[in-house]
Amino acid sequence: MKKSPASSRVDDTTINHADLFGLHPLIVEIMHTRGHTTAEEIRRFLRPGYSDMHGPFEMHGMREAVTRIRHAIDTGERIGIFADSDLDGITSLALIHDLLNRFRIEPYLRYLSGDETYGITDAIVDEFQRAGVGLIITVDAGTRDLRQIARARAMGMDVIVTDHHEEDSELPDAIVVNPRIARCSYPFKNLAGVGVAFKLCHALLLSYLPSYEKPFCVVCPSKNGFEFAIVRDYSIERMEHSLSRDDIMHALTGVGSDTTAIVHRDEETMTTIHDTGIPTYEFSDFIGMILSMPDASYESISFHLFPDRTILDESIATLAAILLEAQIVGSDKVRSFIDTAMGLVAIGSIADVVPLEGENRVLVKKGMDGLNAVSHPSISLVLNDNPATGRSIGWTVAPLLNTPGRLGKTDLAVQFFIERDREAIKRIVSEIRRLNDERREFIARYCAMAMNDIESGRLDCSGGLIDIRADGIPEGYAGLIANRITDATGKPVIVSVLPPRNGLVKGSGRSRGGIPFFSIVQEFRERFDRIGGHENAFGFTVLHEDLDGVIAEISARVGGSSIIHEDRTSADCAISVKDIDVGFIRQLERLEPFGSGNPEPLFRVSGIIPSSFAEFSARHGKYQFKGNPALTAILSIV
């Protein structure tokens, strides 16, 4: 490819990766700066495959959860789903609702609405019992609801908790599927609630495949003998390199008689493993059977599964990845659900501001691709038929669809995702937009008053914590106000909503930077009636009489020394004004989706000289620059 003027400023590895992936060297430099330094890491970032996901059964409690759901399906037992009111919870609920509908099951749906408090309540448990529910599945909730789940168990109901919140000192009497709990060794801990719900759905679908719980063995030659892997239930259980002929035979005879197949790559390997007693296939023939591709070659299979994959060798890791990919693509039922589900996973994950790295990057990237490839009537209406991007989901879709839950009208958000009639969807979207306009106006007005109080000294912010007592606001707005104030001040903020209801005050806390806010607050968890959340965001209820004391203790613990102003001024890389053109800007889109953990790139441009300036309104003007007359910049005075 043609080298840009920036090429002289970057090293040989950057140039090699730029050539390999057809990228501008500065795009590669951004990825290197963000930790994607090898060709395989760049490939996984730019073009993740389904095979880059972790197997769902690697999550503690997953097999038990799948067995229990299958029993409910087989016996006609009524299943209830409970969700939090935010978008992470609602997309999780919609996901499992859709999957159960495919089994011709209509679950009993229950989500927080009105002025209900955080988590499942005694009243909700009683409602499930009256509805004849035998199995409750919680989504984005439940890890800390010990007493309420104990009540459900005492009433004869079983509970599966799917969640991603931190555990308390003990876990509920339930099947808990949560990557964050101490007993879970799942390799990626930062899934959103909808990511965990998706894993449950994927596991349930896999359990109906003929290969469930049966291993596949993959064998191929290497420079130093043979390579070997065992793949089971969408996980690579074992991978070994540099095995001798005796080693490979010992490994194969030790996998057990329930092995589905041994697949190999060449005749030499076939000669070595022919007498194991296990069905043996040439790799391409076997994958061709899964994909219904008669006479498929390795090259055609590779292109079919990874049409834009730059790196595709014949190592054991690549062969295992092809087998994993084929297990999704080759099953119409699994692929049909996943193609639909990934869009919900992307929306819920971005809305919950989980880091878009690791497995989240795979899920959200695939979800964004799906949203843009498949028509989703409700999402298309919200985006006005524009493409889905990290920014449009994070700044348009998520705030809009979170609004009903914040106002106790969660049913609107639920119906948005599960309604199929287009005219009904239009009415739902219209009502949500009206509520959202009111929400934006209220939050802007309230935060302006709060900032004025801070700047004038009427609201004390001299310590490490800003304590706001909000009188008469909707309880669902507390987190939004706290978020905006902490963005403006860099300090942790707690917003408590008054007056109390039944002696209880609800509120939210937010922080930025390196302040472990939730960990600090958890030290006082016995002072709260309920508390839950993530490191930089949490919600709580507390007795009104205890509010002052709790806030004082937290403020003292946070301390003024922990104040961090998170002002992102460090650039990803330096850039010349000559490098900025349409092609470069389009290549930046390959780094999408942007969000937490993958922010939009920030460049440092030095020596830039304006060549002209044209004012086209009282508050706007347009610059042009020497060295790149095609480049313009808009000045906006706010």
Side-chain angles (χ1 to χ4, degrees):
M1 66 176 281
K2 182 181 178 180
K3 305 298 189 296
S4 89
S7 298
S8 62
R9 304 196 302 270
V10 295
D11 58 26
D12 290 341
T13 301
T14 299
I15 298 301
N16 290 337
H17 288 163
D19 288 340
L20 185 61
F21 292 97
L23 291 171
H24 192 293
L26 288 174
I27 303 295
V28 175
E29 190 175 339
I30 292 168
M31 284 187 283
H32 285 182
T33 300
R34 297 183 178 189
H36 313 291
T37 56
T38 69
E40 176 59 17
E41 288 169 345
I42 293 172
R43 190 282 305 165
R44 190 178 297 118
F45 182 84
L46 293 176
R47 306 162 180 164
Y50 291 116
S51 54
D52 292 311
M53 299 189 301
H54 300 296
F57 291 103
E58 295 177 46
M59 203 172 291
H60 181 85
M62 189 64 81
R63 288 191 190 277
E64 191 180 356
V66 165
T67 299
R68 183 62 184 86
I69 294 172
R70 288 190 57 159
H71 174 75
I73 292 172
D74 292 343
T75 60
E77 184 179 22
R78 192 162 199 196
I79 298 173
I81 307 174
F82 170 75
D84 196 0
S85 59
D86 67 4
L87 198 49
D88 189 17
I90 297 308
T91 51
S92 301
L93 177 142
L95 202 65
I96 297 179
H97 175 267
D98 179 32
L99 181 61
L100 292 178
N101 277 181
R102 293 170 187 244
F103 287 94
R104 293 180 172 81
I105 291 171
E106 186 58 48
Y108 185 84
L109 303 182
R110 188 58 165 87
Y111 35 84
L112 294 178
S113 61
D115 59 358
E116 289 177 324
T117 187
Y118 301 100
I120 192 168
T121 63
D122 290 347
I124 292 171
V125 171
D126 294 347
E127 185 179 329
F128 276 128
Q129 186 193 42
R130 290 194 299 273
V133 168
L135 173 63
I136 301 171
I137 303 174
T138 74
V139 291
D140 191 34
T143 299
R144 290 170 168 261
D145 296 332
L146 277 67
R147 183 176 59 79
Q148 293 77 14
I149 289 174
R151 181 184 183 88
R153 298 283 289 123
M155 291 178 170
M157 291 178 280
D158 288 335
V159 182
I160 296 172
V161 170
T162 71
D163 199 359
H164 68 135
H165 295 97
E166 302 285 351
E167 64 184 301
D168 208 335
S169 55
E170 60 180 302
L171 290 171
D173 181 17
I175 301 170
V176 180
V177 181
N178 181 342
R180 286 189 176 273
I181 63 174
R183 68 177 65 168
C184 184
S185 59
Y186 193 75
F188 187 74
K189 299 292 186 181
N190 292 324
L191 290 172
V194 70
V196 180
F198 168 75
K199 289 293 174 178
L200 177 66
C201 293
H202 186 196
L204 183 63
L205 287 170
L206 289 176
S207 76
Y208 284 94
L209 297 181
S211 59
Y212 179 51
E213 295 188 323
K214 296 178 180 178
F216 294 84
C217 296
V218 185
V219 185
C220 69
S222 67
K223 292 180 180 179
N224 300 311
F226 297 92
E227 296 182 309
F228 168 78
I230 296 177
V231 177
R232 188 193 326 246
D233 296 336
Y234 212 74
S235 292
I236 300 173
E237 286 189 349
R238 177 179 163 194
M239 187 177 291
E240 297 187 32
H241 308 274
S242 302
L243 298 178
S244 67
R245 290 178 184 273
D246 289 342
D247 290 337
I248 198 69
M249 287 304 297
H250 179 73
L252 290 173
T253 54
V255 297
S257 59
D258 64 339
T259 302
T260 303
I262 299 173
V263 291
H264 62 89
R265 188 69 191 100
D266 69 334
E267 289 301 321
E268 180 185 357
T269 309
M270 176 62 186
T271 303
T272 302
I273 63 176
H274 73 280
D275 57 352
T276 60
I278 299 172
T280 304
Y281 302 88
E282 193 278 326
F283 185 82
S284 296
D285 292 341
F286 186 74
I287 300 299
M289 286 190 294
I290 295 176
L291 300 177
S292 300
M293 294 174 62
D295 303 320
S297 66
Y298 184 77
E299 291 72 22
S300 63
I301 288 170
S302 301
F303 181 78
H304 178 72
L305 294 176
F306 305 103
D308 59 352
R309 188 165 181 172
T310 304
I311 307 164
L312 198 62
D313 55 25
E314 296 188 31
S315 67
I316 191 67
T318 298
L319 296 180
I322 288 174
L323 178 55
L324 291 175
E325 199 82 16
Q327 285 185 328
I328 283 184
V329 177
S331 170
D332 291 341
K333 289 184 178 180
V334 174
R335 181 65 184 271
S336 171
F337 174 77
I338 286 180
D339 283 348
T340 302
M342 284 294 194
L344 290 174
V345 177
I347 292 169
S349 297
I350 292 173
D352 214 53
V353 203
V354 294
L356 302 185
E357 55 194 16
E359 190 170 28
N360 281 338
R361 169 76 184 181
V362 181
L363 296 172
V364 173
K365 175 72 171 172
K366 285 288 188 182
M368 301 297 284
D369 292 344
L371 287 172
N372 288 318
V374 181
S375 176
H376 291 258
S378 52
I379 300 299
S380 296
L381 274 173
V382 170
L383 291 175
N384 297 317
D385 294 320
N386 292 315
T389 65
R391 174 176 283 272
S392 65
I393 297 298
W395 291 83
T396 301
V397 175
L400 179 71
L401 298 183
N402 262 324
T403 296
R406 297 186 190 281
L407 295 172
K409 299 181 179 181
T410 317
D411 57 305
L412 284 171
V414 172
Q415 291 304 314
F416 175 89
F417 286 108
I418 69 176
E419 178 60 63
R420 294 293 176 262
D421 180 75
R422 191 171 182 85
E423 291 305 313
I425 292 171
K426 286 181 179 179
R427 290 192 294 271
I428 292 166
V429 171
S430 177
E431 177 62 12
I432 293 175
R433 280 185 167 144
R434 184 188 67 78
L435 293 174
N436 191 53
D437 289 341
E438 293 177 0
R439 186 268 307 173
R440 292 172 63 182
E441 182 181 348
F442 183 93
I443 295 296
R445 187 171 63 251
Y446 190 94
C447 288
M449 290 189 299
M451 288 304 300
N452 186 52
D453 287 345
I454 290 172
E455 291 163 3
S456 67
R458 289 191 296 273
L459 180 59
D460 181 25
C461 63
S462 58
L465 172 70
I466 298 177
D467 172 26
I468 297 176
R469 309 294 173 93
D471 193 8
I473 71 166
E475 292 172 342
Y477 287 175
L480 295 175
I481 293 168
N483 197 61
R484 189 169 295 192
I485 301 301
T486 196
D487 276 346
T489 63
K491 293 188 178 186
V493 176
I494 289 181
V495 176
S496 307
V497 180
L498 298 174
R501 296 189 182 188
N502 300 318
L504 292 171
V505 173
K506 293 177 68 173
S508 291
R510 297 292 187 271
S511 68
R512 288 291 180 270
I515 302 172
F517 204 14
F518 188 46
S519 296
I520 291 171
V521 174
Q522 281 199 105
E523 296 178 18
F524 310 103
R525 61 179 176 269
E526 71 281 353
R527 301 286 305 275
F528 292 93
D529 180 66
R530 305 194 74 160
I531 187 170
H534 317 293
E535 202 57 32
N536 299 118
F538 63 91
F540 65 87
T541 58
V542 65
L543 285 171
H544 185 220
E545 62 198 52
D546 290 340
L547 180 62
D548 290 340
V550 170
I551 296 295
E553 288 188 75
I554 295 171
S555 182
R557 177 66 180 84
V558 170
S561 62
S562 65
I563 298 171
I564 295 178
H565 291 272
E566 190 179 28
D567 182 16
R568 186 175 176 239
T569 54
S570 59
D572 288 278
C573 63
I575 188 171
S576 166
V577 69
K578 295 179 181 179
D579 292 324
I580 307 172
D581 57 22
V582 172
F584 177 75
I585 292 170
R586 286 178 177 167
Q587 284 204 4
L588 283 174
E589 294 174 1
R590 297 182 66 178
L591 304 181
E592 278 271 11
F594 297 120
S596 174
N598 185 43
E600 294 185 32
L602 186 64
F603 300 103
R604 183 175 64 256
V605 186
S606 57
I608 187 167
I609 303 173
S611 61
S612 66
F613 175 76
E615 185 178 309
F616 56 87
S617 78
R619 304 173 69 87
H620 298 87
K622 181 172 71 173
Y623 283 103
Q624 288 186 296
F625 304 98
K626 290 182 179 179
N628 191 345
L631 179 67
T632 61
I634 303 299
L635 172 68
S636 179
I637 302 173
V638 295

